[in-house]
Amino acid sequence: MSAAVDTVVAVDGGNSKTDVLLLSVDGTILARGRSGPFTPQSTGVGHAADTVEAGVRDALGAEAAAPYADLLVAYVAGADLPAEEEALAAEFAARDLAGEVVVANDTFALLRAGASGPWGVAVVCGAGVNAVGVSPTGQVARFPSLGKISGDWGGGLDLGDETLWHAIRAEDGRGGPTALAGLVATHFGRDTVEEVVLDLHFGRLDRGRLLELTVGLFEQAAEGDRVALDLVTQMADEVVVMAEVCLRRLGLMEVPTEVVLGGGILRAREPLLTALLDERFGTRTPQAKPVVAEQPPIVGAALSALDRIGASEEAKTRLRAQF
């Protein structure tokens, strides 16, 4: 950076909420704020910028005015492509939110929060699935992460869809028997899976609630239901192959490398999924070191900001200790 930095705003913008930190260059958190979902893909870039400003004012007070800091580092959902990162950065800069603005996808925040340093691979599996990799020299490997059209599968919504698909086919005879039929009907308080399907069709049930089925899916898989086990196994394969591709692209297959696992599904540490992942990482990427992220992504955004300004390791340790 060309100018001295005294304060930094770090942002972790996700589909459910947006976290904001104001911190000093020595890693001390000066203020914390939170605002609503960061969803530029559905509400637009302007509304997304409003969300960030709302989070900053929650931290600094309603009377706070831009510029809020010398540097703004925002790791956010919906910035899946470089063009989307650039559009958001341009909007933040136009509002003069900080002297310098950096925007990147929120998966990079997971990587920095969970890894011991600024490089490695991260795989996030929550409602959706994504992965990124950064080499020791700064080379990046990433995916478009646009859903099924870009080859993605394995997030909670995908698992919910598949659970429902197998459940209705088991109930009406097109598919083989599976305990997932009873799971779906019982979870939503219906007598049949068909009632659930019709409620979804007529808008009486939010499709996003299919994400809730993942807990029961893992339970049925652990109890030996073949259909459920196949789905969980397929998900484990997807997580590992995303990490493997990042490692191959970056030339890290033979280098001991941390693979940070995050998102609600992977953070839950389901014993069956954990065992499947350990087996596959050990076979396909023996130099990979899987690590479940213990600290929230906002820590990764803040650490990346400290990396950028050349802060000391003491400052980074101080930041982590506050979480």
Side-chain angles (χ1 to χ4, degrees):
M1 294 183 64
S2 57
V5 172
D6 292 319
T7 55
V8 172
V9 169
V11 177
D12 170 49
N15 290 318
S16 60
K17 46 80 179 172
T18 299
D19 284 326
V20 173
L21 291 181
L22 177 72
L23 62 152
S24 63
V25 295
D26 70 353
T28 300
I29 296 174
L30 305 174
R32 306 185 190 212
R34 176 168 286 185
S35 58
F38 189 92
T39 54
Q41 66 273 27
S42 59
T43 59
V45 169
H47 185 274
D50 290 340
T51 300
V52 170
E53 290 210 72
V56 174
R57 286 193 295 272
D58 183 57
L60 302 182
E63 302 304 316
Y68 302 109
D70 301 306
L71 171 66
L72 170 72
V73 173
Y75 281 12
V76 293
D80 298 307
L81 302 170
E84 293 169 331
E85 294 173 340
E86 292 166 7
L88 287 163
E91 178 68 20
F92 295 160
R95 296 185 182 213
D96 195 27
L97 300 190
E100 182 180 0
V101 172
V102 177
V103 176
N105 183 264
D106 57 346
T107 312
F108 288 96
L110 168 65
L111 171 59
R112 190 63 183 91
S116 57
W119 67 277
V121 172
V123 183
V124 60
C125 187
V129 62
N130 196 5
V132 297
V134 179
S135 76
T137 61
Q139 182 184 356
V140 172
R142 63 191 297 185
F143 300 92
S145 188
L146 303 175
K148 197 167 185 179
I149 63 170
S150 60
D152 310 325
W153 188 90
L157 289 175
D158 293 322
L159 294 174
D161 282 343
E162 292 288 334
T163 297
L164 178 62
W165 189 85
H166 285 287
I168 188 62
R169 290 172 66 88
E171 182 176 272
D172 66 21
R174 287 177 292 172
T178 171
L180 297 182
L183 165 67
V184 171
T186 299
H187 180 81
F188 291 112
R190 306 296 191 269
D191 292 328
T192 65
V193 181
E194 183 176 343
E195 290 179 47
V196 176
V197 170
L198 294 177
D199 283 347
L200 287 166
H201 176 70
F202 288 112
R204 296 189 292 263
L205 184 65
D206 184 349
R207 191 174 187 85
R209 290 196 61 196
L210 293 179
L211 183 63
E212 300 169 10
L213 296 173
T214 55
V215 173
L217 171 66
F218 282 110
E219 291 174 351
Q220 295 302 327
E223 292 177 10
D225 183 89
R226 175 49 55 184
V227 174
L229 180 58
D230 286 347
L231 287 175
V232 174
T233 301
Q234 184 181 353
M235 181 208 161
D237 288 336
E238 288 294 317
V239 169
V240 174
V241 78
M242 292 187 89
E244 181 182 0
V245 168
C246 288
L247 291 167
R248 288 191 184 281
R249 288 181 183 175
L250 298 174
L252 297 176
M253 284 292 289
E254 304 304 321
V255 178
T257 302
E258 292 169 313
V259 176
V260 180
L261 305 177
I265 292 178
L266 296 178
R267 284 202 315 270
R269 300 173 187 264
E270 290 286 345
L272 172 62
L273 179 59
T274 298
L276 290 169
L277 290 172
D278 287 346
E279 177 188 5
R280 281 153 176 75
F281 276 121
T283 301
R284 299 180 61 164
T285 60
Q287 293 299 315
K289 309 298 180 185
V291 178
V292 177
E294 298 289 350
Q295 294 188 308
I298 186 62
V299 175
L303 285 169
S304 294
L306 293 178
D307 290 339
R308 189 172 183 83
I309 64 175
S312 67
E313 290 304 311
E314 181 183 5
K316 298 168 190 176
T317 299
R318 180 177 294 111
L319 170 68
R320 284 194 183 275
Q322 294 167 90
F323 286 84

